[in-house]
Amino acid sequence: MSHFLLRLYRKYAGGDRAFQRMETPGYRTGSFDGLHHPSDDDDDDLVDIAGATLDFSSTDDVPPLSSGGYEEYSSSSSSRAAGMNGNGPTKLVDPLEDPVPGLGTYEDFNTIDWVREKSKDRDRHREITKKSRQSTVALLRSVSDAFSGWLLMLLVGLMSGALAGGIDIAAHWLTDMKDGVCLIGFWFNHEHCCWTSNETTFQERDRCPQWQSWGELITGTSEGAFAYIVSYLMYIFWALLFSFLAVTLVRAFAPYACGSGIPEIKTILSGFIIRGYLGKWTLIIKTITLVLAVSSGLSLGKEGPLVHVACCCANILCHLFTKYRKNEAKRREVLSAAAAVGVSVAFGAPIGGVLFSLEEVSYYFPLKTLWRSFFAALVAAFTLRSINPFGNSRLVLFYVEFHAPWHLVELAPFILLGIFGGLWGALFIKANIAWCRRRKSTRLGHYPVMEVLVVAAFTALLAYPNSYTRMSGAELISELFNDCSLLDSSQLCGYKQPANISETSVGNSLADRPAGPGLYTALWQLALALIFKMMITVITFGMKVPSGLFIPSMAVGAIAGRLLGVGMEQLAYYNRDWVIFKGWCSPGADCITPGLYAMVGAAACLGGVTRMTVSLVVIMFELTGGLEYIVPLMAATMTSKWVADAFGREGIYEAHIRLNGYPFLEPKEEFEHSSLAVDVMRPRRSDPALAVLTQEGMTVGEVETLVESTHYSGFPVVVSQESQRLVGFVLRRDLLISIDNARKRQEGVVSASQVIFTEHTPAQAPDAPTPLRLRGIMDLSPFTVTDHTPMDITVDIFRKLGLRQCLVTHNGRLLGIITKKDILKHMAQMANRDPDSILFN
């Protein structure tokens, strides 16, 4: 019998390695050695990190099976279950009469039951409301419970804003340390060091005697080849040191701290359990290594990882409030708000952060979460503004002040930038995913520290000679967004000065001027920087260090936009009599603003990579303060999405979710096939019947044998093996915990004891052992569909209700079961992909 059931499981689960591994001790304890499996063929950030056996995070999320402190069903549920027990001659054991540790919780790498979690919260809320009418103390508790959500949002905003401010300040300081040191205090970065100097000039505003480069400090002079070589070598040394510290800390203490974090956050918000991913050790290590990774000069940003940092803060603070600690669905509402906080502190864009969470990250976003996200993003932005990490008294990262309006004719080059952004986004996704797959299939994947060091050395070696690749990504974008003024010493402002400046300037704007030698040099350097950034970002994103994609993508687009903007500016200057320029571009006027093209290009490339639209436009105008340039941003962003979607509808985060095998049903993806539920359910028509429990007649020993011989996450309960009429559904975890608890706490429960799922106790023989009543842990209203239900409707049910599984019936008779993993495998088959790439359930 057990051999038959084991074969049935193998057919049902489709060779599911993840389920088999979930039975190993590594999945129970959170040990990362238990997560490693030599046969994995995916580039899974969660699984393929070897050599980390520390268990710092097992208490940060859902506790393991052996620990206490689990949630229990509400007292109203308990009273209903007690009312069903009846008064038989023998005292029956019911797992809901007393608190049972672990009941109603989930194992690691499993999907939560949204319906059950929401039902538990409704029961809890009804109980609190009922008691609040009975006493003043209960009323105060009710008010406290209602206010706790807002208090939690306040704490999340304060903590995230403070951490983001510290990360900004530390990253700026360490980035400048690669170039030199401040003599009046090594803790000052370059800008702060020269603030108090009286010897700076407009031509060399970034130079002051208090700041010395490493070449100048060691050789005594800033001129000459020897000083340049010393500075070059010191730049490479600091880059290697920072990257080595970052990857070593991640590998040794918190393997989950690597990468962007947004793909995993999206998966967690859809109801997946990744224990330790949002724990305190992940937060500590990611905060430290994020600073080191950004400072090393690698082509990455801190914006994506800041979303992960904010969600870690929210998850940790959730443990202070009972209703969030004991309910997975409620906790995910807080995490959705935390994602908005992350973008708010990353860019100084609170409204864009809320829209980012709504459009890109969240799976379930009720109106209450929208309000709380707005409040939390506001608090975080205020906290960041109070810290003032940029030193300019502004919240926005790249403040622009363009004086010339844009013209209708310029929509053509803006759309051209959108096409470039879409092509770059599609190319980047395909290249990066191919590189990540190759990383796993070659020896490179076994040496993550060496990979990071080689990429860091290669990046520093090629970046230093070019001033536009040597500077940090944020500094580069700020330079490209800049609108040239008369006293601007940047190479990008190397125009030929007209004889009479006052005649060629109108108001605050400066008239278009012919390009000078300095500008031509800058354009060649930018063209080389564009090629370098496009290539190096492909292999950098996905390494075992914290790595965001927002800033590198924006840098690629900003470079392309600036090049096109300068080209348009010179075209308009030398050809004012052309039809497209005549009438609005007169001599002495400021017709074209190259910085605006850089801003539009940045939005286009970021949109092509992530496929964001509304939230991206709002983030960009909040980021720059350029409110009047929304239409060009919208045109470029929409164009980039259309072009990129023509090559594949997945954004970079969805592509990495699929690469890692997470059970994520993408809300944007449409099910276009004519399949029926019977085509997807397990077991198939040619397979043996489904393993089920009967509502009476089975013994504890038979139930334990069935559970031990299979790896299913739950079992349908039917009237009998003959009728197969559905009664309910029992989760494997709850079944095991209840039987184990009954054996320990109740005398007379043995292997021969009857397991009863009925409302009334059947007649027992006088010498029969004490029966075990488990009706209380059974779901009496499991979701069902008929065998002829179209799969597009079934997929919608799974998405909108967040189901783990759905039972398939025919005229009330149980036929099979559909899990989220079955749907994902079916969709992969329909798309000619490997269905075994779906690893978890």
Side-chain angles (χ1 to χ4, degrees):
M1 179 66 180
S2 61
H3 178 68
F4 160 77
L5 291 171
L6 186 58
R7 279 194 311 130
L8 174 61
Y9 161 70
R10 285 174 179 160
K11 286 182 176 292
Y12 168 70
D16 183 358
R17 293 165 302 191
F19 269 145
Q20 294 165 11
R21 287 180 300 177
M22 276 199 286
E23 298 303 314
T24 64
Y27 271 75
R28 300 279 182 166
T29 64
S31 165
F32 290 104
D33 274 352
L35 302 180
H36 184 69
H37 198 276
S39 64
D40 288 345
D41 56 0
D42 66 305
D43 183 52
D44 187 355
D45 286 345
L46 309 180
V47 175
D48 66 355
I49 301 172
T53 57
L54 302 177
D55 187 21
F56 292 125
S57 55
S58 62
T59 59
D60 288 335
D61 296 288
V62 183
L65 183 62
S66 58
S67 66
Y70 289 88
E71 65 261 43
E72 301 129 20
Y73 282 88
S74 64
S75 56
S76 59
S77 300
S78 300
S79 61
R80 287 199 302 270
M84 296 175 184
N85 289 338
N87 298 316
T90 309
K91 185 181 184 329
L92 300 182
V93 177
D94 192 321
L96 293 184
E97 290 182 350
D98 297 306
V100 178
L103 200 63
T105 59
Y106 307 95
E107 291 190 7
D108 202 9
F109 295 100
N110 241 308
T111 307
I112 71 169
D113 190 333
W114 283 88
V115 177
R116 182 173 68 172
E117 296 299 303
K118 293 178 188 302
S119 178
K120 284 164 56 178
D121 184 64
R122 281 195 297 270
D123 288 342
R124 183 196 62 82
H125 186 69
R126 289 192 192 103
E127 190 70 18
I128 290 175
T129 304
K130 179 181 177 182
K131 289 182 178 179
S132 66
R133 303 189 186 100
Q134 299 173 359
S135 67
T136 305
V137 175
L139 179 62
L140 292 176
R141 286 179 181 170
S142 175
V143 173
S144 173
D145 180 79
F147 181 70
S148 61
W150 296 100
L151 178 60
L152 177 57
M153 291 296 101
L154 175 67
L155 295 176
V156 170
L158 291 172
M159 186 174 178
S160 302
L163 282 176
I167 288 171
D168 286 332
I169 294 170
H172 197 175
W173 172 57
L174 289 182
T175 300
D176 287 348
M177 186 179 285
K178 291 187 302 182
D179 295 322
V181 66
C182 186
L183 300 181
I184 60 175
F186 73 92
W187 55 87
F188 289 122
N189 62 37
H190 193 166
E191 184 180 1
H192 291 173
C193 187
C194 293
W195 268 359
T196 56
S197 176
N198 296 321
E199 302 177 48
T200 55
T201 63
F202 279 110
Q203 284 72 28
E204 294 185 340
R205 64 184 66 183
D206 59 340
R207 298 290 302 163
C208 63
Q210 290 82 1
W211 179 268
Q212 287 192 358
S213 66
W214 291 109
E216 186 178 0
L217 193 66
I218 294 172
T219 65
T221 177
S222 59
E223 305 295 332
F226 185 57
Y228 180 83
I229 292 173
V230 170
S231 295
Y232 200 162
L233 292 176
M234 289 299 294
Y235 182 90
I236 296 174
F237 166 75
W238 286 114
L240 288 174
L241 178 62
F242 293 154
S243 58
F244 175 74
L245 289 175
V247 69
T248 304
L249 288 172
V250 167
R251 181 179 171 84
F253 295 102
Y256 283 155
C258 67
S260 166
I262 293 181
E264 287 74 22
I265 296 298
K266 283 171 68 80
T267 309
I268 289 171
L269 289 177
S270 73
F272 197 55
I273 299 283
I274 308 179
R275 188 173 298 136
Y277 196 82
L278 301 176
K280 58 180 178 291
W281 271 101
T282 303
L283 173 63
I284 294 169
I285 298 302
K286 186 135 194 173
T287 302
I288 297 171
T289 55
L290 179 56
V291 173
L292 293 169
V294 171
S295 305
S296 68
L298 290 167
S299 183
L300 48 83
K302 62 181 182 299
E303 287 66 30
L306 276 176
V307 175
H308 188 186
V309 168
C311 287
C312 287
C313 295
N315 183 70
I316 292 168
L317 291 171
C318 276
H319 287 77
L320 302 177
F321 302 88
T322 305
K323 75 175 181 179
Y324 295 104
R325 182 177 69 248
K326 294 185 176 183
N327 193 292
E328 293 291 345
K330 295 292 289 181
R331 191 185 304 190
R332 274 152 182 76
E333 293 180 14
V334 176
L335 295 179
S336 291
V341 170
V343 174
S344 175
V345 296
F347 291 113
I351 301 174
V354 175
L355 292 175
F356 172 81
S357 179
L358 174 61
E359 178 183 3
E360 185 64 23
V361 180
S362 295
Y363 202 82
Y364 173 69
F365 203 83
L367 195 59
K368 181 170 59 177
T369 303
L370 176 69
W371 299 332
R372 289 180 176 173
S373 300
F374 185 79
F375 173 68
L378 169 68
V379 172
F382 176 78
T383 304
L384 189 66
R385 171 64 181 80
S386 302
I387 296 173
N388 192 19
F390 309 121
N392 57 5
S393 299
R394 289 194 179 101
L395 184 62
V396 298
L397 190 57
F398 312 116
Y399 182 74
V400 297
E401 199 169 357
F402 302 142
H403 302 291
W406 65 278
H407 298 274
L408 193 62
V409 174
E410 292 182 278
L411 274 180
F414 292 153
I415 291 174
L416 191 63
L417 284 174
I419 294 172
F420 170 79
L423 293 173
W424 153 244
L427 174 66
F428 173 80
I429 291 170
K430 292 185 182 299
N432 181 253
I433 295 299
W435 177 259
C436 288
R437 290 190 188 278
R438 184 171 179 79
R439 178 187 288 129
K440 186 67 179 181
S441 62
T442 60
R443 293 179 62 84
L444 179 64
H446 301 293
Y447 304 102
V449 176
M450 186 59 64
E451 179 193 10
V452 171
L453 289 177
V454 169
V455 173
F458 182 73
T459 303
L461 196 65
L462 294 182
Y464 188 83
N466 189 336
S467 61
Y468 293 110
T469 52
R470 186 192 315 169
M471 63 180 67
S472 67
E475 191 179 352
L476 171 62
I477 295 171
S478 183
E479 178 87 359
L480 294 168
F481 284 5
N482 181 40
D483 189 22
C484 292
S485 63
L486 282 175
L487 300 175
D488 208 317
S489 59
S490 170
Q491 263 194 316
L492 284 172
C493 299
Y495 295 93
K496 293 178 182 177
Q497 295 293 346
N500 192 340
I501 295 176
S502 60
E503 292 180 3
T504 58
S505 58
V506 180
N508 292 326
S509 62
L510 197 62
D512 289 346
R513 295 163 289 167
L519 180 57
Y520 283 121
T521 302
L523 293 181
W524 276 111
Q525 289 181 333
L526 280 179
L528 293 174
L530 177 63
I531 297 172
F532 173 73
K533 285 282 186 184
M534 291 173 70
M535 294 175 59
I536 203 68
T537 305
V538 169
I539 62 175
T540 302
F541 186 70
M543 293 195 308
K544 305 309 179 191
V545 291
S547 55
L549 198 57
F550 280 55
I551 289 296
S553 300
M554 290 175 65
V556 169
I559 294 172
R562 188 78 186 201
L563 291 173
L564 181 61
V566 173
M568 285 291 297
E569 181 186 45
Q570 297 304 303
L571 190 66
Y573 179 81
Y574 288 108
N575 302 279
R576 296 185 188 277
D577 54 342
W578 284 14
V579 175
I580 59 172
F581 299 120
K582 190 178 293 185
W584 63 275
C585 189
S586 58
D590 183 15
C591 304
I592 305 292
T593 306
L596 172 60
Y597 284 73
M599 187 170 76
V600 172
C605 279
L606 184 55
V609 171
T610 63
R611 311 297 163 85
M612 296 190 299
T613 52
V614 180
S615 57
L616 175 58
V617 171
V618 175
I619 287 172
M620 286 304 298
F621 85 70
E622 281 191 283
L623 187 63
T624 59
L627 191 61
E628 61 183 300
Y629 303 108
I630 288 182
V631 172
L633 289 171
M634 291 174 68
T637 303
M638 206 66 245
T639 304
S640 71
K641 177 175 171 55
W642 286 336
V643 172
D645 281 349
F647 294 92
R649 300 186 66 84
E650 285 183 330
I652 184 64
Y653 302 129
E654 291 78 22
H656 272 271
I657 286 173
R658 182 163 60 83
L659 180 70
N660 293 337
Y662 301 137
F664 183 76
L665 274 174
E666 174 57 52
K668 304 170 190 173
E669 187 177 357
E670 296 181 3
F671 191 91
E672 300 175 347
H673 311 288
S674 57
S675 310
L676 300 177
V678 71
D679 301 322
V680 180
M681 73 174 192
R682 302 281 180 161
R684 300 293 171 84
R685 287 177 174 139
S686 58
D687 293 341
L690 190 66
V692 297
L693 300 172
T694 57
Q695 64 178 354
E696 57 183 73
M698 294 184 72
T699 63
V700 171
E702 290 172 342
V703 171
E704 288 177 329
T705 300
L706 176 64
V707 173
E708 289 170 4
S709 61
T710 61
H711 294 77
Y712 302 136
S713 59
F715 299 90
V717 180
V718 296
V719 173
S720 66
Q721 293 286 359
E722 294 74 25
S723 74
Q724 291 287 309
R725 190 161 59 85
L726 182 64
V727 176
F729 190 84
V730 175
L731 292 178
R732 171 196 186 88
R733 182 182 177 89
D734 290 352
L735 193 61
L736 286 172
I737 291 173
S738 300
I739 293 175
D740 183 62
N741 180 72
R743 282 184 178 275
K744 291 178 180 178
R745 296 174 55 180
Q746 178 67 32
E747 293 184 4
V749 175
V750 294
S751 296
S753 298
Q754 292 284 320
V755 177
I756 301 170
F757 291 99
T758 56
E759 185 173 355
H760 302 289
T761 308
Q764 300 282 327
D767 56 345
T770 305
L772 175 60
R773 185 183 184 84
L774 295 180
R775 185 178 176 85
I777 67 169
M778 183 174 62
D779 181 5
L780 294 171
S781 56
F783 278 87
T784 61
V785 295
T786 68
D787 51 344
H788 291 289
T789 303
M791 273 308 297
D792 55 346
I793 296 177
T794 307
V795 171
D796 275 342
I797 292 173
F798 269 81
R799 281 178 181 150
K800 293 173 180 176
L801 294 179
L803 300 184
R804 301 178 73 191
Q805 69 277 317
C806 182
L807 301 175
V808 182
T809 61
H810 177 74
N811 294 335
R813 185 175 182 271
L814 179 66
L815 290 184
I817 186 172
I818 299 176
T819 65
K820 185 187 287 189
K821 184 170 185 177
D822 292 327
I823 292 176
L824 290 166
K825 283 193 170 190
H826 180 72
M827 293 172 74
Q829 285 178 325
M830 294 294 103
N832 295 319
R833 300 196 303 262
D834 179 17
D836 288 332
S837 63
I838 314 298
L839 292 181
F840 306 105
N841 196 11

